[in-house]
Amino acid sequence: MAGPSPVAAASADPARWGRVDAEGTIYLRSTDGERVVGSWQAGAPEEGLAHFARRFDDLLTEVELLAARLSAGGGDPKHALTSARTLRDGLADATVIGDVDGLRARLDGLVAQAEASVGAARSARDAQRAAAVARKEELAAEAEKIAAEATQWKQAGDRFKTILDEWRTIRGIDRKTDEALWKRFSKAREAFNRRRGSHFADLDRQRAGAKARKEELALEAEALADSTDWGPTAARYRDLMAEWKAAGRAQKDTDDALWQRFRTAQDAFFARRAETFAERDAEFVANAEAKKALLNEAEKIDVADADAARAALRGIQERWEEIGKVPRDDIRPLEARLRAVEDKVREAADRQWRRTDPEAEARVAQFRDRVAQFEAQAEKARAAGDTRRAEQAQGQADQWREWLTTAEQAVHGR
């Protein structure tokens, strides 16, 4: 609540502030001297003073109400300033009896207070305007960045709507600045809409192209579904899958329908292939068992008679080829066992051949003669003092001796 006024009410002692002369003229006393404020003829002179004193008190009440509003911060400080100045300027001619000097001082204080409030309000408005301008500049800059860089179209579009909603709540900017900022935002939004429209137009063209390409791939997949050329067709399906992924996406419902066609054809082919391979695998397993039985027979071949062993092996090899393919994992182990038998029979044949080779002993005798010949030449050269020829002849004799040793070992190893 407001405290008591520093200016005393006049009604309590009107004579303190004025007087009435014999003709009923009312005078106000102040530091400026006396001045006539009116006259009173309707009754006793004291009643005249009291009337003009009440008018002062009414004026004082108006001043204190103004002071209360200023202190409370309510109302327009500019209007309060105008009111305070009007009241103060009117005191010079006011027809009142009271402490005019005190009331003028009171109004001087209220004018100063109102001026301060006006200044504070102006500063607050300036700060608010600066904040509003800064915020709209931020929003405009964000809009321009989105317009230039955004590729998440829905999120960006939603953000433009949010920016616009906030933009409409920002007040207190002068018209020229506000229009300039709005042009920036509006231009950015239009640029974004153009870029988004261009993107979706391109996307529509890409989807149309993807649809056409995937229709071709689905048709080819369906044409291959009944193929029995398992390897090349499976490879082609792998290529078709890679081409499908590279074709891009069509509209979702169209893309899903085309994929269903493609996948159905592919699944049909691979299901038939799997069934065929299962049958083939069963046949291959049986073949492997048959070849194992042959190997058991082959590994029992008696190689003491090389000719009989070779004949038995040829029969096994012919039956081996007639049996056919085996599972992939069995190929190498089975063939390794067969090769071991083949090596065993071949070694037996080699040993037999070496035992019956009439040329072997002749080669040994020939090598022995050559050694003797070159050693004789070496001895003769040494006797003649021809060291160089002796060394050459001895070297040849040593080489032939190595060959002689090898030949003798081959004969003795039969």
Side-chain angles (χ1 to χ4, degrees):
M1 295 180 61
S5 173
V7 180
S11 298
D13 186 9
R16 178 182 174 187
W17 312 108
R19 67 181 179 84
V20 181
D21 63 11
E23 288 77 22
T25 300
I26 307 297
Y27 293 91
L28 170 67
R29 286 195 298 270
S30 68
T31 56
D32 294 330
E34 287 188 339
R35 68 177 176 84
V36 176
V37 297
S39 63
W40 187 260
Q41 305 294 331
E46 292 77 9
E47 292 177 359
L49 281 177
H51 168 73
F52 285 98
R54 286 194 296 274
R55 293 183 67 177
F56 177 87
D57 289 346
D58 291 341
L59 183 59
L60 176 60
T61 299
E62 184 177 355
V63 170
E64 292 307 324
L65 286 173
L66 177 61
R69 286 198 299 273
L70 278 172
S71 297
D76 181 7
K78 186 180 293 186
H79 181 267
L81 175 60
T82 300
S83 298
R85 285 173 174 170
T86 300
L87 289 171
R88 185 184 62 182
D89 294 344
L91 283 179
D93 300 318
T95 54
V96 295
I97 294 297
D99 184 6
V100 174
D101 292 330
L103 189 58
R104 180 177 289 107
R106 176 66 165 155
L107 284 168
D108 284 341
L110 293 179
V111 166
Q113 183 179 350
E115 287 175 343
S117 296
V118 168
R122 184 182 299 111
S123 297
R125 284 195 305 273
D126 290 344
Q128 182 181 6
R129 175 186 176 280
V133 170
R135 182 55 183 155
K136 283 195 172 181
E137 285 177 341
E138 290 176 359
L139 294 176
E142 182 182 354
E144 289 166 343
K145 181 177 178 63
I146 293 173
E149 301 176 3
T151 55
Q152 299 296 319
W153 306 109
K154 184 179 185 308
Q155 293 90 324
D158 291 344
R159 181 54 186 158
F160 264 108
K161 292 177 183 178
T162 303
I163 289 174
L164 181 59
D165 290 342
E166 182 180 353
W167 190 283
R168 288 169 174 165
T169 65
I170 300 173
R171 299 285 187 272
I173 303 176
D174 62 277
R175 182 174 180 179
K176 181 178 179 181
T177 303
D178 202 45
E179 287 179 351
L181 289 169
W182 172 253
K183 286 180 180 178
R184 283 181 60 188
F185 172 77
S186 181
K187 182 179 179 181
R189 184 173 58 171
E190 290 173 1
F192 169 77
N193 289 334
R194 285 195 302 271
R195 199 161 63 85
R196 180 175 59 177
S198 176
H199 166 78
F200 283 108
D202 290 342
L203 186 60
D204 288 341
R205 287 191 291 272
Q206 292 171 8
R207 285 174 173 171
K211 175 185 176 184
R213 180 59 183 143
K214 287 187 172 180
E215 285 175 344
E216 295 174 357
L217 296 173
L219 285 171
E220 184 175 353
E222 290 166 343
L224 292 172
D226 295 330
S227 172
T228 56
D229 195 3
W230 308 115
T233 303
R236 181 55 187 154
Y237 268 115
R238 287 193 294 271
D239 293 341
L240 288 177
M241 179 65 76
E243 293 174 28
W244 184 279
K245 293 177 180 178
R249 289 190 60 83
Q251 291 288 347
K252 187 177 187 307
D253 53 349
T254 301
D255 204 71
D256 291 346
L258 288 171
W259 170 247
Q260 187 61 42
R261 286 177 55 191
F262 180 92
R263 187 61 182 268
T264 299
Q266 180 178 251
D267 288 348
F269 167 78
F270 282 105
R272 287 193 311 103
R273 189 184 75 156
E275 182 179 355
T276 300
F277 281 11
E279 295 173 356
R280 188 186 66 181
D281 289 345
E283 178 185 348
F284 285 3
V285 169
N287 292 346
E289 293 302 318
K291 286 189 174 183
K292 288 176 183 177
L294 272 182
L295 286 169
N296 291 335
E297 180 181 341
E299 288 166 347
K300 295 176 181 178
I301 291 175
D302 184 1
V303 296
D305 184 345
D307 292 335
R310 282 199 298 267
L313 178 60
R314 280 197 298 272
I316 289 175
Q317 288 172 329
E318 290 172 359
R319 289 153 62 194
W320 181 280
E321 295 300 326
E322 290 173 358
I323 290 174
K325 296 181 179 180
V326 299
R328 182 185 300 273
D329 292 342
D330 290 332
I331 292 175
R332 296 182 67 180
L334 293 175
E335 289 185 348
R337 288 178 63 186
L338 180 61
R339 282 195 300 272
V341 174
E342 291 170 343
D343 291 344
K344 180 180 177 183
V345 172
R346 185 172 56 254
E347 289 173 0
D350 289 344
R351 286 196 301 272
Q352 182 180 7
W353 176 82
R354 286 196 300 270
R355 283 195 302 269
T356 58
D357 184 7
E359 296 180 358
E361 288 294 344
R363 282 195 296 273
V364 169
Q366 181 183 10
F367 290 164
R368 189 177 292 114
D369 290 343
R370 296 291 287 176
V371 170
Q373 178 184 350
F374 283 114
E375 284 184 340
Q377 291 177 3
E379 183 62 29
K380 184 178 180 180
R382 281 194 291 270
D386 191 344
T387 304
R388 183 178 64 80
R389 290 185 60 187
E391 290 177 353
Q392 289 178 347
Q394 187 62 51
Q396 290 178 313
D398 293 342
Q399 179 64 64
W400 280 98
R401 184 176 287 105
E402 290 181 8
W403 292 338
L404 171 61
T405 300
T406 301
E408 287 175 340
Q409 289 174 350
V411 171
H412 294 158
R414 289 188 231 172

